[in-house]
Amino acid sequence: MSIVKIPKQYLIAEDDDSITVDLPEPALKRLQKDYQKVEQAQGILKDRKEEILSHLSTLRQEWEQ
């Protein structure tokens, strides 16, 4: 899930469950492009998970001493 900041001028309606916005085409394309970057970045460090956890464990031990 991504957090998106949208100017209030595009707000059409708001209720307890949702908001409705009218985005201009360039803004929508920019949001889609930014989300694609996030999708590509997901999992970059997935194959290094064990290495990262080991490093964090070492850091915790150093701080506890």
Side-chain angles (χ1 to χ4, degrees), residues 8-14 19-23:
K8 285 185 178 183
Q9 67 188 26
Y10 301 125
L11 179 66
I12 293 176
E14 178 179 5
I19 61 170
T20 304
V21 293
D22 183 18
L23 292 177

Side-chain angles (χ1 to χ4, degrees), residues 8-63:
K8 285 185 178 183
Q9 67 188 26
Y10 301 125
L11 179 66
I12 293 176
E14 178 179 5
D15 62 25
D16 290 339
D17 297 323
S18 63
I19 61 170
T20 304
V21 293
D22 183 18
L23 292 177
E25 194 66 31
L28 187 58
K29 286 183 181 182
R30 187 175 66 239
L31 288 173
Q32 289 173 341
K33 190 180 295 184
D34 291 346
Y35 185 71
Q36 287 173 350
K37 291 177 185 176
V38 171
E39 281 183 327
Q40 291 171 353
Q42 288 179 345
I44 288 176
L45 298 175
K46 193 176 193 178
D47 59 335
R48 298 183 67 192
K49 182 177 180 179
E50 293 300 320
E51 181 183 337
I52 293 169
L53 292 176
S54 172
H55 179 69
L56 288 174
S57 177
T58 303
L59 289 176
R60 285 187 189 117
Q61 289 173 3
E62 289 175 2
W63 276 98

